[in-house]
Structures are given as C-alpha cells and as structure tokens.
Amino acid sequence: RQLAAGEITPADHDARRRVYDEARAAERRLTGTRRVELSAVLRTADTIAATGQLIPSRQFQLFETLERNRAWWTTAPLPAPGRRVSFAGSELVWQYYPGQGLQLQVLASFGKLNGLWQGRRYNRRLGALLDELLRMPAERGGGALAWEYTFTFNGGAPPWVSGLAQGTAVQALARAATRLGREAEVLPIAQRALTLFELPPPVGVRVADGDGAHYLIYSFAPELRVLNGFLQAVIGLHDYAELAQDPRARALYEAGERLARREAPAFDTGAWSLYSRGSSKRESDLGYHRLVRDFLSGLCARSSIPVYCTVRDHFRAYERIAPVVTLTPATLRGGRTGRLRFRLSKIARVGVEVRQGGRLVLSRPAFTAGRGRRFVEWRVPRRAGEYAVSITAVDLAGNVGRTAGTVLVRSAA
C-alpha cells in the first residue's frame, strides 16, 4: 500500500521485502535458541505492522534489526546475555536481550558517538557513525523525530523512547556536527528531536511539574522517576543549547533544571542514593550510584547551583561510610519460627549468626537487604535462655558494619 501510494520507493520496497522473506526462511531452518531469538524479532516486526505503526520513517531501523539478527543467528556464536556487539563495516552498537534477539542500543550508540568526538583522530569513524544514526530516527507524532527502542522492556511495548537516550542524542549530534562542520545538515534534525521533550507520554517524555518538567527515562512509565536518566537528559539539553545557540533548547534545559534541583535531594537517603522513586522506589546499585554522582558533578560544573554539588558530595562520602545495623530487642517462644528483626541504614550484604554458650545455633548465609526494617526467620530452639546474635553488613562499596546483642527465648509451650 505504501509503495502504491508513493510513500516508499520501489527500491526500498524490494530491499525490505527481501530482508523479511530471508529472515522468515532462516527462521524455518534454525532450531533451539537461535530460532527463538530470530522468531522474537520477527514477531515484533509483525506486531508493529499489525498495529499500523510500520510507517516509512520507522522502517530503516526495523528492517536493519531483522537483517542483523538473521546474519547473527545463522552464523555467529551464541552470545552471553547483555553482550554488546558491532558488525563489520558499521559503528552501531547492538545488545543481546535474551528472548528478544539483538537490538539496537540507542544510548550506547550515541555514547559511542560522544566517545569518538573526544579525539580528532577518530573523525572518520565519527562521521561514519553519525551517518548511520541519521538514518535511524522515526516520526513520532507532533513533529518529533526520535531514536526508538523496538523491543519490550519492563512492561513497555515497542516502539518506545527514552529521555536519557534522546538527551544524549542531541548532545552527541551537536558535538559531532560542530566537529565535522556539518551543522547545516545535522542541527535541523536535532531540532526536531527536541520536540520529544515538549510532548507528554507515551509519545514524548515530558511530565510537567509546577514551573518545571521531568523528562522520563521510559515513555511508557510516566510515574517512574529515575534521577540518573533525568539528569543526563538535562545535561544533554544544556550542551546542545550551548553548541547550537538554540533558545528553544535553552528553555527546555531550564524547565528540566528547575525541577532537577528540587528532585535531587529527594534521592538522598542519608546513607546512599535511590535509583528510582514514584511507581518504583529502590536504592541504586554501585554502578548507578556512581553514575548519578557523576551526573550531579556535571550539572554542578555547568550550572554552579549549590544543590548539585552538595548532593554529589554526600554521595561521594557514602562510598566510604560503613552501614549502620541495629538489632531490635525481642523475646521469642522456643520451638516456633520467630523473626530476628534489625534496621539497616543502606543496602548491604547481611550475614547473621546466633549462639548460645559459644555453640552456633544459626548461621544465615549473606543475603542482600535494602535499607529500613528487615528480619531473618529462625526456627527457635526449644531451650530457654539468652542467645547471642551478631549481624555483619557489607555495603556495595565494601564498607563493613557490625552489631551484636541478645534475644530472650522462653520455654517451648
């Protein structure tokens, strides 16, 4: 229908039809994991087509994904989950998501563009990757161009977008265009990419909040707040505005920054950082803790606003401070299952031992526990008396905290 309407060229029609047919033929020949992965990619393409979303601008990435998966699963070794790969003659970064095949890693590809920008000796590769990425964006409504993710993630159905990836995209595009003298070609595309930060989800990533705006890490999760993704989106808008001298990007940066300065302290637990708030509230792992610390440092340097510097300094300090663990006094009945309760200041690996008269009666292997009130279930001995409890907590940075106390055990009923 698109060919008949003149929306796509005969050459594009024939090439994309051939990619699809070859992928289907390969699927029939494959077995096991290889067939599962290629079938998943084909199923995503079918679903996008069946829901009326196979618009011309979305086709390049979608059929490139089909072709790369056909080539990989018919010739290459099985990759480890999460492995990132590239193909000969291409600078794009792909990642293996078990059950969904190889998928274009938008954030990693634009991160690579930023990395190549850092050294002039990579200008040839910088230009090559820029050319590949400029073929990938899709029309997303409201005039927005976006680099989409075409796989299911955390309950979000494809195609979805990320403020984190889009912020990194406009930042990297402006840097590459300036370095290569291609502003007239690239900046108009980046300007259309800015529209994503003006549109609400699920089309865009903007959630208005007072006089500011939060830019979502996932367009399908409007209640989820992830600080590292938000901060990088704001940084990307700042850098694009500076390089392009774009007042529209400056306004988007300022709207995000006004909210970011209010949100950043809310992710400080007093002992560690939160990864997310809102629909999901959990502490950062060590990698994300350091990532958000570095993004705070970036905004501190760019804006000179004290709150970013202060929260960054807190997060740095928490990497050297041992967790605080406190045993809750308790009286337990012998012969029953009881709970040893304790409070933890931050996420840590926790081990518990219980002794009576030097005899070990419980040794719980280390397990990961988040901050707050926690407990360990224990089949309490029938013998009454005082039992010595020791708890060791090792946080994600390797700092060790300990506590000791006693619990009273009453005679079994």
Side-chain angles (χ1 to χ4, degrees):
R1 289 195 298 268
Q2 290 171 354
L3 177 64
E7 296 173 358
I8 58 174
T9 67
D12 283 343
H13 169 275
D14 294 348
R16 291 166 187 172
R17 187 76 227 187
R18 183 172 60 254
V19 166
Y20 183 85
D21 291 344
E22 289 176 352
R24 276 289 176 209
E27 177 197 30
R28 289 191 290 270
R29 295 193 302 270
L30 295 173
T31 60
T33 298
R34 297 176 184 277
R35 181 169 186 169
V36 167
E37 301 298 348
L38 184 55
S39 296
V41 178
L42 281 159
R43 187 164 55 249
T44 295
D46 289 342
T47 302
I48 289 175
T51 53
Q53 299 182 90
L54 191 62
I55 57 176
S57 63
R58 190 167 280 137
Q59 290 177 18
F60 186 89
Q61 178 180 334
L62 197 65
F63 285 91
E64 184 77 357
T65 302
L66 277 174
E67 173 59 19
R68 294 305 188 185
N69 275 272
R70 183 202 62 78
W72 185 275
W73 300 114
T74 55
T75 63
L78 295 179
R83 180 185 169 189
R84 290 179 177 176
V85 301
S86 291
F87 291 84
S90 171
E91 296 286 352
L92 292 170
V93 179
W94 301 80
Q95 184 165 341
Y96 173 38
Y97 293 87
Q100 299 194 80
L102 296 179
Q103 297 291 336
L104 179 67
Q105 225 314 326
V106 177
L107 179 60
S109 293
F110 279 107
K112 183 176 181 179
L113 194 67
N114 268 332
L116 294 171
W117 166 80
Q118 292 178 1
R120 288 187 179 276
R121 63 194 179 100
Y122 299 120
N123 279 0
R124 184 189 59 78
R125 294 178 63 193
L126 179 72
L129 180 54
L130 177 62
D131 289 338
E132 290 186 279
L133 288 167
L134 290 178
R135 292 194 290 267
M136 294 290 182
E139 302 273 356
R140 198 160 167 88
L145 278 180
W147 285 265
E148 296 177 328
Y149 287 88
T150 56
F151 59 96
T152 300
F153 185 76
N154 277 3
W160 52 270
V161 289
S162 165
L164 167 60
Q166 193 86 347
T168 305
V170 296
Q171 176 193 54
L173 289 174
R175 286 173 168 176
T178 303
R179 167 67 54 76
L180 301 173
R182 295 173 59 178
E183 294 93 336
E185 171 198 359
V186 175
L187 294 187
I189 295 172
Q191 286 163 3
R192 293 189 61 193
L194 293 176
T195 307
L196 201 74
F197 297 99
E198 298 170 336
L199 299 173
V203 174
V205 296
R206 183 189 186 99
V207 177
D209 190 330
D211 65 345
H214 182 96
Y215 303 128
L216 298 170
I217 192 169
Y218 307 125
S219 58
F220 57 80
E223 302 301 322
L224 179 65
R225 300 289 185 270
V226 177
L227 186 59
N228 74 71
F230 180 31
L231 294 182
Q232 173 57 10
V234 172
I235 288 171
L237 288 167
H238 172 278
D239 291 356
Y240 175 82
E242 291 292 308
L243 286 166
Q245 290 297 291
D246 188 327
R248 179 174 166 225
R250 168 63 60 176
L252 291 170
Y253 157 71
E254 290 174 350
E257 189 282 314
R258 282 192 296 270
L259 187 59
R261 74 175 77 170
R262 299 201 301 269
E263 285 199 349
F267 285 77
D268 185 345
T269 69
W272 200 247
S273 68
L274 291 176
Y275 170 77
S276 59
R277 298 179 72 244
S279 60
S280 172
K281 187 174 182 178
R282 61 185 177 92
E283 290 168 274
S284 304
D285 64 23
L286 183 61
Y288 281 123
H289 179 83
R290 289 174 172 168
L291 182 66
V292 76
R293 175 204 68 193
D294 292 344
F295 287 159
L296 286 164
S297 188
L299 268 178
C300 172
R302 286 168 171 84
S303 70
S304 300
I305 293 173
V307 65
Y308 301 120
C309 314
T310 300
V311 178
R312 174 205 61 193
D313 292 344
H314 287 179
F315 289 177
R316 281 178 176 169
Y318 299 155
E319 293 181 45
R320 302 186 298 273
I321 298 174
V324 177
V325 56
T326 307
L327 178 67
T328 303
T331 300
L332 304 175
R333 176 69 70 180
R336 298 180 180 177
T337 299
R339 290 181 173 181
L340 297 172
R341 301 180 186 272
F342 60 94
R343 181 182 290 274
L344 195 60
S345 66
K346 59 177 169 177
I347 185 170
R349 294 278 296 170
V350 178
V352 180
E353 288 188 349
V354 181
R355 297 176 182 271
Q356 188 189 44
R359 182 173 63 91
L360 183 67
V361 295
L362 172 68
S363 179
R364 174 67 188 271
F367 61 97
T368 300
R371 73 188 184 104
R373 299 184 181 191
R374 297 288 179 259
F375 65 86
V376 171
E377 288 195 338
W378 174 37
R379 183 63 180 174
V380 183
R382 299 178 64 84
R383 184 176 179 180
E386 280 195 347
Y387 287 71
V389 180
S390 62
I391 303 176
T392 302
V394 182
D395 73 10
L396 303 182
N399 303 296
V400 182
R402 294 185 175 87
T403 192
T406 61
V407 295
L408 180 64
V409 174
R410 291 181 177 177
S411 298

